[in-house]
Amino acid sequence: MTEHAAHAEEIHPEPKDFFHKYVWSYDHKVISKQYLFTAFFFLIVGGLLAMLIRWQLAYPFQPVPVLGSLLHGHLFFDDSGAITPEGYLQLTTMHGSIMIFFVMIPMLVAVFGNYLIPLQIGARDVAFPLLNALSYWLYLPAGILAFSSFFLAKGAAEAGWTGYPPLSDVSSSTPGSGSGQIFWLLSVFLVGFSSILGGVNFLTTIVKMRAPGMTWDRLPLVTWSQLITAVFQALATPVLGSAMALMFMDKVFHTSFFIPSGLQNSDDQLVGGGGLVGNAGGGGHPLLWQHIFWFYSHPAVYILILPGMGLASELIATFSRKPIFAYKPMVGSMATIMGLGFIVWGHHMFVSGMSPAMGMGFMMTTMLIALPSGVKVFNWLGTLHRGSIHLTVPMLHGLSFLSMFIIGGLSGIFMAATPVDIYIHDTYYIIAHFHYVVFGGSVFAVFGGLYYWFPKMWGRKMNDKLGYLHWFLTFVTFNCTFFPMHLLGEGGQMRRLATSTGYEYLQPMQDINVFISVSAFILGASQIIFLFNYFYSIVKGPKAEANPWNAITLEWTIPSPAPYHNFDKIPTVYRGPYEYSGEEAEKVGRDWIAQDEKLPA
Amino acid sequence: MQKRHPWLVGLGLLSMVGWLLLPAKAFAGLSFGKLVPNLNFAFGNTIDSLYSIIFWIVTILFIGTEGAIVLFIILYRKRDGHKAHYSHGNKFAELTWTLIPMAILVWLAIFQQSTWAFIRADMPPASESNLVQVFAEQFAWNFRYAGPDGKFGTPDDIMTINQLHVQVGKKTVAHISAKDVIHSFFIPYARIKQDAVPGMLNRIWFEIDKIPCWDLKAQQMVFFSPDEIKEKKVALDGFAFKADNVDITGVKKYHYDPLPDTKTAPILYEGKIEDRPIEEAEYVQHPIEIACAQLCGLGHYRMVGYVVVDTPETYDRWMQQAIQNKLRSGESKWTDIWDKYYPQYNTAE
């Protein structure tokens, strides 16, 4: 460690030209911001798709205001400006795919991981800066591929973000399963590769580049969460890549990995790999895809929440002015989630036809994985208990994370129970559940993180009043949007239906659909406040000091914004990351003491 | 110095019940099992009560944890003279909130295994059940009955589209597969759902114990037990089901109207089916819906099928008519292909 620290003192000069400073940059902070702006773009795209989805569900096959009249006859719209059934499937498929692969995973992992890991462990950069740049430059073309698929003749992929074959595999089965699906496969493959590179990089960085004294039990929980997420990324994402590659071969080279014998198209013709008529393929199995896909995608759910847990831990400890309650169990429960996270994928397949005996096993592991999440919730409550709670804008988001994650976690227990899952599987209950986890949990954590680290990233402060307003509107309309979806699920409304009004038994709930949509429109519009506040403050916000929140971790010991080389001298760490209100803090006359601060003799 | 805004948080947390602002009629009586009543007494009630058990467990946890958040925000808010308590944890508390939830979760998992096994692993014997093959295709449900010879894949098979007949109180075993893409066979009223996967035979069973009918006076759906229906005059034919759009949200008004120029209709009364004047009908035999719960293409949203729940008398009547009319038997090209590739599924039990 000492030898390494000495080596790190050789600082590379900061590039001066625009290209190397902002475009092909090796600086983890610049790459983080590249990810941030790209993810913002996709957040807007994914959000607009969601607005269109909600329009269609509230006012089925009615012309869409503004967008419909501008784009009628193009994209998802028919000549009257209403959304077509296949357009609706493109909307849901791409909303899910974009939000997961191009917004949330990059936001949680690439933005915060990149920015915070080196700063929190006291390093000058990540272990492999070139790899880091490459991972962004794989992510961007992947995003462009996904986005451009909307403009293909038959539109984007339509088989859902889960891309179940044969629907996705056989090009004649739905318009989007032609080139749209191939674009989707390629873009997910590329973004997956980018994710693997990021994971390997962060793992190496955290294991090898911690500053002297930064022992495992002094590592901030944000970094711990990134470390555990990186293991997921490195081990699970290659499996996703293999799924994409196999389906690509099915579609392009007419193999039959996911095509069973005797599969027919709508004209009763036998079809083989990729939907080729007369191809004597077959022998594959549609469930093979589901196993491979969920072997990645269930861990991906934890990739979507673990970094959020890390961010929230930071916010809750800092603004309760207390050490995190039970630090080691907090780390242990994240590690347990990782371990169990690899053996619960079958709960997505309870009604797929997988052997009922497997269902029993997966029910057990799924019930058990609720435990570490529960322990974390209790520990956050323990952190709040007898704290001095500062209701800052980031803290409100941290608390929202906590309260919404509780709902998302509890509703998961219904699904884990196989008999109950029979009824609620593939209904809006599921939509409610994962939006409470990913939006209610992770998005609130991301907002909290963006507010909290804004001074460090940009050297300026965001406007508090707009921050409170944005939080309040988001929190209220989020709940109005997603809570009633539990009721739709109880009433048996299926997901991915272009309209539920064709079913007699779903009729009584159409008013709820309308209410949800109106709430969703306000929720969507509220995000303009955030985007305005964020971008305005980058340019015009008041200048921020080095440590505006009186926080403890290493990133707050350096100036705001963080300088190119991060630390003038690699710091030495003397204590844990959450030493608020303790004896040591008292000795320096504050309620906090920085991780690298030497006590006066 | 940051301003204090505890009221803001309070308001925000209250909004979790924001759905109370919803139109009251949408929520009247809306809870699990109320909106879509369970008609499957064999295991649907167990599913509903399992839901309730979990609901009460999580409600207690929800109120406890969310209540604690609100309480702590108020009690431990930042204020002059108040200092945070320095603590790294408490072993007793940690053990308590690890072991108790673990016990609850493990109990829940074990408790449900037998229900799951009853529903999914054990098929009722052929002597106690009717067997039907379900083939899903874009975007219709095909049902095949063995016909008089009791064998599948023979010329006397009976096939229907989007119409499944089951006998009230008798178990139905469904052998489910698909022709083109994955669909999912979902009967909300019977609490069953099973994916229909091409190249694969999935087996489920269910039972429907009440007969859905349409009340002509109130113009709404009602459910009768086999005993109750004996005293009702239920028309089996002679009426048309209409759905009128009410507004642009797609809400519909449903009603049955007598077919024009129809004087008499077959009416079930006291266990007998007789042609009677159409005015005598109090109810119409009304099917419940089969939904597709797996994304299957652009017509996914309209892949509706129907289950007609029959009394023994109406079931026999329908079966005799089907045999006489040779309903779709031997006409389907794609089932021929199915029978060629998967002959073993036609003899599966």
Side-chain angles (χ1 to χ4, degrees), chain B residues 89-165:
Chain B
N90 177 320
K91 287 274 173 308
F92 176 75
E94 288 164 39
L95 275 177
T96 312
W97 64 49
T98 307
L99 294 178
I100 291 178
M102 183 154 90
I104 295 174
L105 289 165
V106 169
W107 174 77
L108 264 179
I110 294 172
F111 177 67
Q112 295 179 69
Q113 302 282 13
S114 56
T115 308
W116 174 249
F118 178 72
I119 299 172
R120 287 323 254 279
D122 314 327
M123 288 294 134
S127 55
E128 292 172 18
S129 56
N130 292 333
L131 179 60
V132 60
Q133 289 184 333
V134 180
F135 299 117
E137 68 172 311
Q138 289 178 326
F139 300 95
W141 298 101
N142 299 282
F143 301 102
R144 186 159 75 166
Y145 300 80
D149 70 354
K151 287 185 188 137
F152 287 102
T154 54
D156 72 344
D157 287 355
I158 294 165
M159 272 192 83
T160 63
I161 297 181
N162 288 336
Q163 199 181 61
L164 171 66
H165 280 261

Side-chain angles (χ1 to χ4, degrees), chain A residues 152-167:
Chain A
L152 292 169
K154 286 184 176 173
E158 289 172 16
W161 87 275
T162 51
Y164 278 10
L167 182 68

